[in-house]
Short mmCIF file of all heavy atoms in Angstrom, two decimals:
data_model
loop_
_atom_site.label_atom_id
_atom_site.label_comp_id
_atom_site.label_asym_id
_atom_site.label_seq_id
_atom_site.Cartn_x
_atom_site.Cartn_y
_atom_site.Cartn_z
N TYR J 886 40.68 165.14 -114.88
CA TYR J 886 42.01 164.55 -115.02
C TYR J 886 42.92 164.72 -113.80
O TYR J 886 44.05 164.25 -113.81
CB TYR J 886 42.71 165.10 -116.26
CG TYR J 886 42.76 166.61 -116.31
CD1 TYR J 886 43.79 167.32 -115.70
CD2 TYR J 886 41.77 167.32 -116.96
CE1 TYR J 886 43.83 168.69 -115.74
CE2 TYR J 886 41.81 168.70 -117.01
CZ TYR J 886 42.84 169.38 -116.41
OH TYR J 886 42.85 170.74 -116.45
N ALA J 887 42.46 165.38 -112.76
CA ALA J 887 43.26 165.53 -111.55
C ALA J 887 42.32 165.64 -110.36
O ALA J 887 41.25 166.24 -110.44
CB ALA J 887 44.14 166.77 -111.63
N ALA J 888 42.74 165.05 -109.26
CA ALA J 888 41.90 165.09 -108.06
C ALA J 888 42.78 165.23 -106.82
O ALA J 888 43.86 164.64 -106.76
CB ALA J 888 41.06 163.81 -107.96
N PRO J 889 42.31 166.01 -105.88
CA PRO J 889 41.10 166.82 -105.89
C PRO J 889 41.34 168.19 -106.54
O PRO J 889 42.25 168.90 -106.16
CB PRO J 889 40.77 166.97 -104.41
CG PRO J 889 42.09 166.91 -103.71
CD PRO J 889 42.95 165.99 -104.55
N CYS J 890 40.53 168.50 -107.48
CA CYS J 890 40.54 169.82 -108.16
C CYS J 890 39.10 170.16 -108.49
O CYS J 890 38.55 169.60 -109.44
CB CYS J 890 41.37 169.78 -109.44
SG CYS J 890 43.13 169.72 -109.19
N GLY J 891 38.52 171.03 -107.69
CA GLY J 891 37.14 171.37 -107.97
C GLY J 891 36.52 172.24 -106.90
O GLY J 891 37.21 172.92 -106.14
N ILE J 892 35.20 172.18 -106.85
CA ILE J 892 34.42 173.00 -105.95
C ILE J 892 33.83 172.09 -104.87
O ILE J 892 33.15 171.11 -105.17
CB ILE J 892 33.30 173.72 -106.72
CG1 ILE J 892 33.91 174.61 -107.81
CG2 ILE J 892 32.41 174.53 -105.79
CD1 ILE J 892 32.90 175.19 -108.77
N PHE J 893 34.10 172.46 -103.62
CA PHE J 893 33.66 171.65 -102.48
C PHE J 893 32.74 172.48 -101.59
O PHE J 893 32.93 173.68 -101.41
CB PHE J 893 34.88 171.19 -101.67
CG PHE J 893 35.81 170.32 -102.46
CD1 PHE J 893 36.78 170.87 -103.26
CD2 PHE J 893 35.68 168.94 -102.42
CE1 PHE J 893 37.63 170.07 -104.01
CE2 PHE J 893 36.52 168.13 -103.16
CZ PHE J 893 37.50 168.70 -103.97
N LYS J 894 31.74 171.82 -101.02
CA LYS J 894 30.77 172.51 -100.15
C LYS J 894 31.41 172.76 -98.80
O LYS J 894 31.81 171.84 -98.10
CB LYS J 894 29.52 171.66 -100.00
CG LYS J 894 28.42 172.36 -99.22
CD LYS J 894 27.11 171.62 -99.36
CE LYS J 894 25.96 172.24 -98.62
NZ LYS J 894 26.02 173.61 -98.27
N GLY J 895 31.51 174.04 -98.45
CA GLY J 895 32.00 174.43 -97.14
C GLY J 895 30.86 174.64 -96.18
O GLY J 895 29.71 174.30 -96.47
N ARG J 896 31.16 175.22 -95.02
CA ARG J 896 30.10 175.50 -94.02
C ARG J 896 29.10 176.52 -94.53
O ARG J 896 27.90 176.36 -94.33
CB ARG J 896 30.72 176.04 -92.73
CG ARG J 896 31.09 174.98 -91.74
CD ARG J 896 31.64 175.62 -90.47
NE ARG J 896 30.63 175.82 -89.45
CZ ARG J 896 30.15 174.88 -88.67
NH1 ARG J 896 30.56 173.65 -88.81
NH2 ARG J 896 29.27 175.16 -87.75
N GLU J 897 29.61 177.61 -95.15
CA GLU J 897 28.73 178.69 -95.56
C GLU J 897 28.57 178.81 -97.08
O GLU J 897 27.60 179.37 -97.55
CB GLU J 897 29.26 180.04 -95.05
CG GLU J 897 29.36 180.15 -93.54
CD GLU J 897 30.79 180.09 -93.00
OE1 GLU J 897 31.74 180.35 -93.75
OE2 GLU J 897 30.92 179.78 -91.81
N ARG J 898 29.57 178.34 -97.82
CA ARG J 898 29.55 178.53 -99.27
C ARG J 898 30.46 177.48 -99.90
O ARG J 898 31.07 176.70 -99.22
CB ARG J 898 30.04 179.94 -99.61
CG ARG J 898 31.49 180.16 -99.20
CD ARG J 898 32.07 181.50 -99.55
NE ARG J 898 31.20 182.31 -100.31
CZ ARG J 898 31.14 183.62 -100.28
NH1 ARG J 898 31.97 184.28 -99.52
NH2 ARG J 898 30.30 184.30 -101.02
N TYR J 899 30.54 177.53 -101.21
CA TYR J 899 31.43 176.62 -101.90
C TYR J 899 32.85 177.18 -101.94
O TYR J 899 33.04 178.40 -101.97
CB TYR J 899 30.93 176.34 -103.33
CG TYR J 899 29.76 175.38 -103.33
CD1 TYR J 899 28.46 175.85 -103.27
CD2 TYR J 899 29.98 174.01 -103.37
CE1 TYR J 899 27.39 174.97 -103.25
CE2 TYR J 899 28.91 173.12 -103.35
CZ TYR J 899 27.62 173.62 -103.29
OH TYR J 899 26.57 172.75 -103.26
N ILE J 900 33.83 176.27 -101.93
CA ILE J 900 35.24 176.64 -101.93
C ILE J 900 35.93 175.86 -103.05
O ILE J 900 35.73 174.65 -103.20
CB ILE J 900 35.89 176.30 -100.57
CG1 ILE J 900 35.21 177.09 -99.46
CG2 ILE J 900 37.40 176.55 -100.60
CD1 ILE J 900 35.63 176.69 -98.06
N VAL J 901 36.76 176.56 -103.82
CA VAL J 901 37.58 175.90 -104.84
C VAL J 901 38.86 175.42 -104.16
O VAL J 901 39.53 176.20 -103.47
CB VAL J 901 37.94 176.89 -105.98
CG1 VAL J 901 38.90 176.23 -106.97
CG2 VAL J 901 36.69 177.37 -106.69
N ILE J 902 39.19 174.16 -104.34
CA ILE J 902 40.43 173.59 -103.83
C ILE J 902 41.13 172.90 -104.99
O ILE J 902 40.52 172.10 -105.71
CB ILE J 902 40.19 172.59 -102.68
CG1 ILE J 902 39.51 173.29 -101.50
CG2 ILE J 902 41.50 171.93 -102.24
CD1 ILE J 902 39.10 172.35 -100.37
N ILE J 903 42.40 173.22 -105.17
CA ILE J 903 43.19 172.62 -106.25
C ILE J 903 44.38 171.92 -105.62
O ILE J 903 45.34 172.57 -105.18
CB ILE J 903 43.64 173.69 -107.25
CG1 ILE J 903 42.42 174.38 -107.84
CG2 ILE J 903 44.52 173.09 -108.33
CD1 ILE J 903 42.71 175.56 -108.71
N ALA J 904 44.33 170.60 -105.55
CA ALA J 904 45.40 169.83 -104.93
C ALA J 904 45.59 168.50 -105.67
O ALA J 904 45.74 167.45 -105.06
CB ALA J 904 45.09 169.59 -103.45
N GLY J 905 45.57 168.54 -106.99
CA GLY J 905 45.65 167.32 -107.79
C GLY J 905 47.04 166.75 -107.96
O GLY J 905 47.20 165.61 -108.35
N ILE J 906 48.07 167.54 -107.68
CA ILE J 906 49.44 167.04 -107.77
C ILE J 906 49.76 166.35 -106.44
O ILE J 906 49.33 166.80 -105.38
CB ILE J 906 50.41 168.20 -108.05
CG1 ILE J 906 50.02 168.88 -109.37
CG2 ILE J 906 51.85 167.73 -108.08
CD1 ILE J 906 50.76 170.17 -109.64
N ASP J 907 50.52 165.26 -106.50
CA ASP J 907 50.75 164.44 -105.31
C ASP J 907 51.23 165.24 -104.10
O ASP J 907 50.73 165.07 -103.00
CB ASP J 907 51.73 163.31 -105.62
CG ASP J 907 51.12 162.24 -106.52
OD1 ASP J 907 49.87 162.17 -106.61
OD2 ASP J 907 51.88 161.49 -107.14
N HIS J 908 52.21 166.13 -104.29
CA HIS J 908 52.70 166.88 -103.13
C HIS J 908 51.64 167.84 -102.59
O HIS J 908 51.56 168.07 -101.39
CB HIS J 908 54.02 167.61 -103.43
CG HIS J 908 53.88 168.87 -104.21
ND1 HIS J 908 53.80 168.91 -105.58
CD2 HIS J 908 53.76 170.15 -103.79
CE1 HIS J 908 53.67 170.16 -105.98
NE2 HIS J 908 53.64 170.94 -104.92
N GLN J 909 50.79 168.37 -103.47
CA GLN J 909 49.70 169.23 -103.00
C GLN J 909 48.67 168.42 -102.23
O GLN J 909 48.12 168.89 -101.23
CB GLN J 909 49.02 169.95 -104.16
CG GLN J 909 49.85 171.05 -104.79
CD GLN J 909 49.15 171.65 -105.99
OE1 GLN J 909 48.47 170.95 -106.73
NE2 GLN J 909 49.33 172.94 -106.17
N PHE J 910 48.42 167.20 -102.70
CA PHE J 910 47.46 166.36 -101.99
C PHE J 910 47.99 166.04 -100.59
O PHE J 910 47.23 166.08 -99.61
CB PHE J 910 47.16 165.07 -102.75
CG PHE J 910 46.18 164.20 -102.03
CD1 PHE J 910 44.87 164.61 -101.84
CD2 PHE J 910 46.57 162.98 -101.50
CE1 PHE J 910 43.96 163.83 -101.15
CE2 PHE J 910 45.67 162.18 -100.81
CZ PHE J 910 44.35 162.61 -100.63
#
């Protein structure tokens, strides 16, 4: 229900990023 909010592949490991609200995006 919101994007981007999830787990993203980084260089070495996965990273959680939560930026689903417009100002956060």
Side-chain angles (χ1 to χ4, degrees):
Y886 54 87
C890 287
I892 300 171
F893 298 85
K894 186 168 180 21
R896 270 183 94 77
E897 299 107 21
R898 64 178 355 149
Y899 284 91
I900 298 171
V901 175
I902 299 174
I903 300 173
I906 301 170
D907 289 341
H908 78 275
Q909 288 176 324
F910 180 66

